[in-house]
Amino acid sequence: MLSSTADTVERWIKDNAHSLGAIDADSALTDLSPLHEMTRDARLVVLGVSLRDTHELAVVSHRVLRLLVKELGFRSLAIEGDDATSALLDEYVCKGIGDPRVLLANARSFWRTGELLAAVTWLRWHNDRHPGDPVRIVNLAGHPRRPVSQQDSLGDIERLLAENVIWWHERTGHKVVYWGGIAHTATSRSRTISPSTPPAVHRSAGSYFREFFGSGHLSVGLTFHHGSTSYDIPAPPAEFAEAVLGASGMDAYLLDLRAPSTPEVRAWLDRPTMTRLIGPVYDPGDDAAYHLSGGSLAEWFHIIVHCQQVTPARALNS
């Protein structure tokens, strides 16, 4: 990006971003108050993280969930990645049946974190105090279609992820929070996941969400600049969106990409870009290879939540 454009975008980010100061999941939600207006018409809020096992991105996701439940009437949470465990967690948050620590310990690897345990435990606490108006975890029991399987093609997986949430929404009438990975949630009819040979190009679940929910769909991308999990992650390459998102000097912020902007800023938001996309397999020496492409920030997301530095999520036994 030309230096003058980068400077213009950085100024726009500083002028429009809302600083997030809390890193404790139980903190007051005042710094998230701008979400009230941003989510006013939403029936589905999608939280897509670029790396699942970080403390900071998980905590801010939990805090957004709390806000949506307590203040905006959302009554279901879809946690991407393990349908069988979701059904058991639904019993726990609604009826107190089971031990959530044991359930998560037997779930997919990226679910085995203290941060997700804290979110599930908070839902149980909330439901215990509001027994007539509980928050559910999306439970596919009784679904006429089979759950998502690892044997499905990548394209089928995207479609099924969306269909399952749509089915639940139609069945319950609930406003839903979807918490998953950015590769699935970014709204795109032809997003590309790298590294992959050949590159994996598919329509995303997020595109099905936008098609069904229309203006009631809100896509939130949770990004970061650098940090560590089980490996050290360097600063992003200059061509990645995070290089500009991280130039604001803020530790963490919330940014509505639909905010008024100049033609130069709008052109940057609309141009093809790349964002980090890091899964269980990652080589810091080939950092640039791990990315999402095939679209623009404005196509993929309505809102960005950006953290400058991330640290590892807590193991369940800590």
Side-chain angles (χ1 to χ4, degrees):
M1 183 192 301
L2 296 175
S3 176
S4 61
T5 299
D7 291 343
T8 300
V9 174
E10 289 167 20
R11 285 197 299 272
W12 176 78
I13 291 173
K14 290 178 181 178
D15 289 342
N16 290 278
H18 304 274
S19 180
L20 300 178
I23 58 172
D24 183 347
D26 297 323
S27 300
L29 303 174
T30 51
D31 57 336
L32 291 173
S33 60
L35 277 175
H36 277 269
E37 182 63 24
M38 297 177 192
T39 60
R40 180 182 57 187
D41 300 322
R43 293 175 291 149
L44 175 72
V45 172
V46 178
L47 307 176
V49 296
S50 54
L51 179 56
R52 299 287 287 263
D53 57 345
T54 73
H55 175 70
E56 289 74 14
L57 298 185
V59 165
V60 74
S61 297
H62 178 178
R63 297 183 69 239
V64 170
L65 169 67
R66 284 176 53 213
L67 177 82
L68 294 174
V69 168
K70 293 177 65 175
E71 303 181 20
L72 293 161
F74 282 71
R75 288 298 177 265
S76 283
L77 169 64
I79 313 173
E80 181 187 279
D82 194 321
D83 294 332
T85 303
S86 288
L88 298 172
L89 289 175
D90 186 43
E91 285 198 323
Y92 168 72
V93 300
C94 290
K95 303 175 184 177
I97 297 173
D99 182 336
R101 185 180 294 272
V102 173
L103 296 175
L104 291 174
N106 290 309
R108 299 283 295 279
S109 60
F110 50 81
W111 281 36
R112 301 171 197 162
T113 68
E115 288 79 6
L116 185 52
L117 175 64
V120 170
T121 303
W122 180 82
L123 288 177
R124 176 59 197 154
W125 176 89
H126 179 274
N127 286 347
D128 196 44
R129 283 150 184 79
H130 303 86
D133 186 24
V135 180
R136 302 284 304 276
I137 290 180
V138 170
N139 178 349
L140 298 180
H143 195 308
R145 297 184 179 90
R146 58 183 171 84
V148 177
S149 166
Q150 294 186 36
Q151 281 69 52
D152 289 312
S153 70
L154 291 177
D156 285 339
I157 287 173
E158 298 300 317
R159 176 178 53 80
L160 287 168
L161 286 172
E163 287 181 352
N164 289 342
V165 173
I166 291 168
W167 170 81
W168 179 265
H169 167 73
E170 292 183 320
R171 181 188 185 192
T172 64
H174 288 180
K175 294 199 287 186
V176 180
V177 183
Y178 183 98
W179 185 354
I182 204 169
H184 303 294
T185 66
T187 306
S188 178
R189 298 187 68 89
S190 60
R191 58 97 170 96
T192 303
I193 299 172
S194 299
S196 175
T197 305
V201 181
H202 298 284
R203 182 178 178 181
S204 69
S207 71
Y208 292 102
F209 288 144
R210 183 170 294 182
E211 182 176 82
F212 180 84
F213 288 96
S215 62
H217 163 255
L218 192 80
S219 175
V220 182
L222 290 97
T223 63
F224 72 98
H225 187 269
H226 67 278
S228 62
T229 54
S230 54
Y231 27 66
D232 292 330
I233 304 170
E239 65 270 23
F240 278 37
E242 289 90 343
V244 177
L245 295 173
S248 69
M250 289 182 280
D251 290 335
Y253 63 84
L254 174 75
L255 176 67
D256 191 337
L257 301 185
R258 302 161 297 178
S261 60
T262 65
E264 192 173 14
V265 172
R266 183 49 50 188
W268 180 75
L269 291 171
D270 288 337
R271 73 177 51 163
T273 192
M274 291 182 281
T275 65
R276 288 196 183 282
L277 178 61
I278 301 178
V281 178
Y282 171 70
D283 177 6
D286 195 19
D287 177 65
Y290 296 83
H291 63 266
L292 177 71
S293 62
S296 67
L297 284 185
E299 175 188 4
W300 289 337
F301 314 114
H302 299 105
I303 295 169
I304 288 288
V305 173
H306 183 78
C307 293
Q308 190 69 357
Q309 184 172 1
V310 295
T311 58
R314 301 192 312 271
L316 273 179
N317 58 2
S318 63

